[in-house]
Amino acid sequence: MPSTTSSVDSGKPLQSASAIVAGTESGQHLLKIAGYSRTKDVVPTGSDIKSRSFRVGGHSWNIRYYPNGMNSAWSGYISIYLQLDHNVPKGVRAQYTFDLLNHEGKPVPQYTLSSGEVKIFRDHGWGSHGFIKRDELEKSGHVKDDCFTIRCQLTVMKEIQTKDMDVDSATPLPHPPMPAVVVVPPPDLHHHLGSLLKTGEAADVTFEVEGKTFRAHRCVLAARSPVLLAELSSLQATAVVVMRIEDMEAQDFEAFLHYVYTDTLPEMKKGNDAAAMLPDLVAAANRYKMERLRLVCEDKLCELVNARTAAAMLTFAGEHHCNGLKEACLQFLEDPGNLKEVLKANGLEQLSPSVLKDLIAKLVAGLQPSNA
């Protein structure tokens, strides 16, 4: 921003200046795994242990540690992920590094994972399915007294601000630090809206699904989905609007409404329940044009890719334009052992010609010699 000048009686111009500051804040968190063998024996594949919360860049974070891998495709590995503790609709831009530390507290170079700038959400963290292979870790000598430590270094890209500057020094004017006398809790709007859905207080829309009724609020529905906005606007304004949903199961629609009000999915049991519900929620997200819901479900479906589901997931991904899920399935099938298991189950017979073409292209690309 240019400085301003004006004449005064003394003849000396008035000047002012400001600076646009794109700041960052860095911090680190040490996660010590004490009793590694027990975590490996007790926590099943696909389940995690969450670290204590820590704050960097004005946000609260946690680390999710999967001692037996995030899903069956990575059951021989330790998976590690960084997530927000609270909901930030637009996400938080950050860079992170995960290091395995040796006994002297120094990073082990071959077990270091660094990211570029990424956008992190509460329901969509970043990290690695295959941070370290368990048998390699156990043979490495870095586990001592059944303990080892992972360090997370985090840099948060803070909101860009404009500050006043001292014209003579051309540096931002100092602001004396204020003592932290107020602790602001995480946002809780989703709790209030979830309670509103649960009680049905002041509801003015009733959905009928498979003989069950669900009470909701026009203003919330219209704010969340452009399709629902159009459908509700076309209906005559009455005390209570009744809408019948013919192409969803009641439990799926209940989960859909939960997301509409809280921006999160309800708790699901891992395995069959999630595998059955998530594809239906993807279809609902496409129907009601709720892109984030589709991506949340797609991310969770990626965790369920295994020899039994890979072929069906690949077909589903093609039909519903889930490019991330498609890539996860193709990566899974690149492994000869995984492909053999799928072929043994005749899983590839259900694939369409276009999906088979993509799979063959992926496998052929993997056979090309490296230029390195």
Side-chain angles (χ1 to χ4, degrees):
M1 177 178 179
S3 61
T4 60
T5 350
S6 64
S7 297
V8 294
D9 291 342
S10 64
K12 184 178 180 179
L14 295 175
Q15 293 182 325
S16 63
S18 63
I20 296 174
V21 181
T24 63
E25 182 177 315
S26 298
Q28 66 177 27
H29 184 80
L30 299 180
L31 179 62
K32 181 177 181 180
I33 311 300
Y36 159 68
S37 299
R38 188 160 185 269
T39 67
K40 181 179 64 173
D41 294 340
V42 171
V43 181
T45 297
S47 295
D48 65 277
I49 307 171
K50 188 167 70 171
S51 73
R52 296 292 295 270
S53 298
F54 57 97
R55 292 189 69 80
V56 178
H59 298 280
S60 182
W61 307 83
N62 68 74
I63 298 170
R64 293 184 177 270
Y65 163 72
Y66 294 77
N68 286 295
M70 194 169 186
N71 56 44
S72 59
W74 299 93
S75 58
Y77 291 78
I78 290 171
S79 302
I80 197 84
Y81 276 83
L82 173 69
Q83 286 185 308
L84 279 167
D85 263 342
H86 55 278
N87 185 44
V88 179
K90 293 184 179 179
V92 176
R93 292 192 175 278
Q95 292 179 333
Y96 64 86
T97 298
F98 283 114
D99 297 301
L100 174 68
L101 301 184
N102 62 22
H103 306 319
E104 298 176 350
K106 304 294 184 183
V108 181
Q110 61 266 42
Y111 300 123
T112 294
L113 169 71
S114 296
S115 77
E117 185 175 321
V118 295
K119 187 178 287 188
I120 302 177
F121 297 87
R122 182 179 62 182
D123 296 323
H124 184 84
W126 285 82
S128 173
H129 285 17
F131 176 62
I132 183 170
K133 206 167 186 178
R134 278 201 315 278
D135 58 358
E136 290 183 7
L137 172 66
E138 292 163 6
K139 296 173 183 176
S140 67
H142 299 304
V143 179
K144 185 177 181 181
D145 298 326
D146 208 27
C147 300
F148 67 93
T149 300
I150 296 173
R151 180 180 66 182
C152 175
Q153 299 184 92
L154 176 62
T155 298
V156 175
M157 286 58 184
K158 302 181 74 173
E159 292 292 330
I160 297 176
Q161 298 178 326
T162 301
K163 295 184 178 182
D164 291 331
M165 290 182 63
D166 181 274
V167 175
D168 294 330
S169 63
T171 57
L173 294 174
H175 295 280
M178 296 292 292
V181 294
V182 177
V183 178
V184 180
D188 58 359
L189 177 62
H190 59 291
H191 292 306
H192 295 293
L193 291 179
S195 177
L196 194 63
L197 174 65
K198 186 175 181 180
T199 63
E201 184 177 351
D204 53 4
V205 181
T206 297
F207 290 96
E208 293 184 356
V209 189
E210 290 191 321
K212 294 187 66 174
T213 59
F214 299 92
R215 299 165 68 196
H217 306 79
R218 292 177 71 133
C219 57
V220 176
L221 299 168
R224 297 289 278 151
S225 163
V227 174
L228 286 171
L229 171 61
E231 291 180 358
L232 290 166
S233 299
S234 67
L235 298 176
Q236 184 177 359
T238 58
V240 177
V241 172
V242 178
M243 300 181 69
R244 291 178 176 82
I245 305 297
E246 304 291 347
D247 54 356
M248 287 185 72
E249 294 183 5
Q251 64 175 2
D252 296 338
F253 189 77
E254 185 175 15
F256 171 74
L257 276 184
H258 180 92
Y259 180 86
V260 167
Y261 277 75
T262 67
D263 215 36
T264 62
L265 294 177
E267 290 292 329
M268 297 181 189
K269 295 180 180 178
K270 292 186 181 291
N272 293 336
D273 288 352
M277 183 177 289
L278 289 170
D280 294 333
L281 290 177
V282 169
N286 286 335
R287 171 182 171 180
Y288 292 108
K289 297 189 182 303
M290 298 180 65
E291 178 66 6
R292 185 173 183 276
L293 171 59
R294 185 185 68 78
L295 292 173
V296 168
C297 295
E298 185 178 352
D299 179 61
K300 291 188 176 295
L301 283 170
C302 290
E303 300 174 12
L304 302 177
V305 175
N306 55 42
R308 182 176 55 83
T309 65
M313 291 274 200
L314 189 54
T315 298
F316 175 84
E319 292 172 348
H320 291 81
H321 311 292
C322 297
N323 295 329
L325 178 60
K326 176 181 175 181
E327 183 62 25
C329 293
L330 292 175
Q331 288 182 7
F332 178 82
L333 293 171
E334 276 187 296
D335 184 290
N338 295 337
L339 181 60
K340 182 178 179 181
E341 289 299 315
V342 175
L343 288 170
K344 188 185 299 183
N346 297 320
L348 297 185
E349 293 181 358
Q350 59 189 292
L351 299 183
S352 67
S354 62
V355 173
L356 276 172
K357 181 179 178 181
D358 289 338
L359 175 57
I360 293 170
K362 185 78 171 176
L363 294 174
V364 170
L367 295 175
Q368 298 300 316
S370 172
N371 294 323

